[in-house]
Amino acid sequence: MGIPVWTAHRDIPGQKQAIANLPEASGESLSVLEQQVAECVACDLHQFRKNTVFGVGDPQASLMIVGEAPGITEDLKVEPFAGPSGQLLNQMLFALGFSRDDVYIANVVKCPAPEDRKPNKAELESCSSYLSAQIRLVNPKLILCVGAASAKALLNRNEAISKLRGQVFEYEAASIPLIATFHPAYLLRKPTEKRAVWNDLLLVKEKLRENA
Ligand code: SF4
């Protein structure tokens, strides 16, 4: 009956070293990394994907957006932040003076989970080295985490997103300023938080201007 067996994440021999050996920023290296992700079976989520959802946008973007994981819609479109939450993200970017093509967008986890459930801790840990490599290759001036999972993964903190938002942190592995805000999907459910997100976007704008 092909029932998947759920196990803790496993290291693929050579995976971490291959990622570490990627040369510095270039679109070509992102392509190499994308191919590694497409072949990855490091956690059980590989059993459920139609595609891997690696990332889109300008590989030399000043602003990198990081979300949690693709859903089924993103899996089918092979693009992060598709559907209504993607449209809202586009509006947020427009408010910052960016189009979707001006930024780089990725998730912590590259494969969708069954029935759009959230990825578990082991899955987040399995996939996070790909995101670290992506950040290193894009080398943005600022990272905007949307949602708690990406902020927690990059900051290694456990507070709720309501506590993490509204501040400037540093993604220590690459010394890049990091701001967290609510996920667009949450904003669709709770539009009263739009004011808080707007304030976070103003902070992003200010920080990008400082680092221009
Ligand atoms: Fe590999 Fe990430 Fe997909 Fe797991 S979610 S199989 S670690 S690419």
Side-chain angles (χ1 to χ4, degrees):
M1 281 284 290
I3 297 171
V5 178
W6 291 85
T7 58
H9 87 276
R10 50 189 170 270
D11 288 330
I12 300 298
Q15 178 199 35
K16 285 199 168 69
Q17 196 53 47
I19 290 171
N21 286 344
L22 286 166
E24 286 305 317
S26 79
E28 190 185 343
S29 299
L30 277 173
S31 306
V32 172
L33 186 64
E34 183 169 9
Q35 188 55 39
Q36 290 177 1
V37 167
E39 293 165 8
C40 179
V41 292
C43 81
D44 291 313
L45 292 185
H46 79 275
Q47 299 174 76
F48 303 100
R49 70 185 177 216
K50 287 196 167 36
N51 301 288
T52 48
V53 183
F54 179 70
V56 292
D58 181 353
Q60 295 178 321
S62 58
L63 178 62
M64 184 162 174
I65 313 293
V66 182
E68 181 178 42
I72 291 163
T73 310
E74 284 79 14
D75 184 23
L76 293 174
K77 293 201 166 176
V78 201
E79 184 166 345
F81 289 94
S85 64
Q87 285 164 16
L88 186 52
L89 178 68
N90 292 349
Q91 288 173 24
M92 289 163 63
L93 293 174
F94 186 72
L96 285 170
F98 290 113
S99 77
R100 199 173 163 96
D101 293 338
D102 296 328
V103 301
Y104 191 85
I105 308 174
N107 286 308
V108 182
V109 171
K110 313 302 187 198
C111 300
E115 296 170 4
D116 269 347
R117 71 158 169 78
K118 285 184 169 297
N120 62 35
K121 192 164 177 279
E123 292 154 358
L124 285 160
E125 283 174 5
S126 289
C127 221
S128 62
S129 55
Y130 292 125
L131 176 64
S132 305
Q134 268 175 308
I135 293 173
R136 183 167 64 81
L137 291 164
V138 175
N139 194 25
K141 288 189 166 31
L142 192 139
I143 298 167
L144 175 63
C145 286
V146 291
S150 59
K152 288 177 181 181
L154 292 183
L155 295 174
N156 201 20
R157 296 171 70 127
N158 274 319
E159 294 100 312
I161 188 69
S162 55
K163 300 278 183 234
L164 294 173
R165 59 150 297 274
Q167 305 175 60
V168 182
F169 295 98
E170 184 180 77
Y171 173 56
E172 285 181 4
S175 302
I176 296 171
L178 184 155
I179 293 171
T181 194
F182 294 113
H183 195 285
Y186 175 75
L187 213 49
L188 287 171
R189 295 194 302 275
K190 199 155 182 213
T192 51
E193 296 290 7
K194 276 188 180 168
R195 167 63 58 188
V197 172
W198 175 245
N199 288 335
D200 294 337
L201 294 180
L202 290 177
L203 191 57
V204 168
K205 216 169 183 172
E206 183 188 320
K207 210 61 204 163
L208 281 173
R209 202 178 297 131
E210 277 175 20
N211 294 347

